[in-house]
Amino acid sequence: MDFNGDSLPDLLVGDHAGFVEYYRAVEPGSTYPSLTAVGPIRCDDEHLDVGACSAPFVVDWDEDGLLDLVVGSVMKELRLFRNRGISPPYPLFTDYEPILCQGEPISLGRTIPWMGDATGDGKKDLMLGITVDIYSGGRVLFLENEGTNQDPVFNGMDTLRYLGGDSIIVTQLSPYPLLFDWNSDGILDLVLGDSDGKIRIFEGTPRGGSQLF
């Protein structure tokens, strides 16, 4: 992820304290770029702070050419930090707004976001890895974008399910979702990182205009 527009892959990491740490890539041309610690991302001249267990996802939310931050956490609403900078090398975050579903802030406990076009309609959708509790484990929720690519709108959320039954996808705590075509068959697959240290792959299958796993 090129956070500062220099064509090198940078790294943003959420931490237990609720900050988002920025590691900038250096040494262009190397296969595995070296990273230098820049420090926590700042918001309104203070450390961007979502309370605990920050989970950042970098995306151009409003398609203005600047990278914004969608940040999940523990016991806080899912937050959007819009980049108010003048160009990619100079990001500026001054405030945040809650991300809404049916007009209400999304607040589901431990939340880990992913955004991308999951339905093939050219609009950014939202997926959330959530922790229900220590006994029930995690779930992955899907929120389809019913607005535009420049102004996402979410009016409902569904739990991802296995093909051929009603069983919901249950993981350990803190599932980290990612959608991409793992097996190059033209269908998006679900890759889940998890707190048990394992990575699980669920192959996507189109069915009735939607996608199940």
Side-chain angles (χ1 to χ4, degrees):
M1 178 273 304
D2 179 13
F3 188 63
N4 61 356
D6 64 357
S7 300
L8 296 177
D10 307 303
L11 181 65
L12 265 66
V13 179
D15 67 17
H16 186 74
F19 304 142
V20 177
E21 303 287 343
Y22 174 29
Y23 297 86
R24 180 172 53 83
V26 296
E27 298 183 10
S30 61
T31 303
Y32 301 100
S34 299
L35 297 171
T36 183
V38 177
I41 295 292
R42 301 187 71 81
C43 177
D44 197 21
D45 293 327
E46 298 181 351
H47 292 166
L48 187 155
D49 185 359
V50 294
C53 298
S54 58
F57 189 84
V58 180
V59 63
D60 187 354
W61 176 276
D62 45 18
E63 298 297 318
D64 65 352
L66 299 174
L67 293 177
D68 309 300
L69 292 177
V70 173
V71 186
S73 63
V74 172
M75 304 309 295
K76 298 285 187 180
E77 72 273 19
L78 186 66
R79 294 178 176 181
L80 168 64
F81 294 82
R82 293 183 189 263
N83 187 347
R84 310 290 187 181
I86 58 174
S87 64
Y90 304 100
L92 176 65
F93 303 99
T94 59
D95 54 11
Y96 73 87
E97 58 195 84
I99 295 178
L100 308 179
C101 180
Q102 295 182 329
E104 297 294 330
I106 298 172
S107 184
L108 300 168
R110 179 75 166 103
T111 306
I112 302 177
W114 174 91
M115 290 198 76
D117 183 8
T119 61
D121 62 358
K123 299 186 295 186
K124 294 184 290 289
D125 304 302
L126 177 63
M127 289 181 61
L128 300 173
I130 67 166
T131 299
V132 179
D133 55 51
I134 61 174
Y135 304 104
S136 302
R139 305 288 189 273
V140 180
L141 304 180
F142 172 66
L143 295 81
E144 184 173 359
N145 181 2
E146 298 181 12
T148 66
N149 200 37
Q150 294 76 24
D151 186 19
V153 174
F154 306 106
N155 288 316
M157 60 180 70
D158 297 309
T159 303
L160 293 189
R161 302 178 181 274
Y162 290 112
L163 177 64
D166 293 330
S167 299
I168 55 180
I169 295 177
V170 180
T171 69
Q172 301 297 316
L173 300 180
S174 304
Y176 194 110
L178 172 65
L179 277 186
F180 71 103
D181 188 0
W182 173 267
N183 54 7
S184 301
D185 64 353
I187 301 172
L188 292 174
D189 308 299
L190 174 66
V191 179
L192 281 183
D194 214 336
S195 61
D196 61 3
K198 297 180 180 179
I199 297 176
R200 295 173 171 84
I201 301 171
F202 302 85
E203 292 187 358
T205 303
R207 181 184 179 189
S210 61
Q211 182 166 320
L212 300 178
F213 297 91

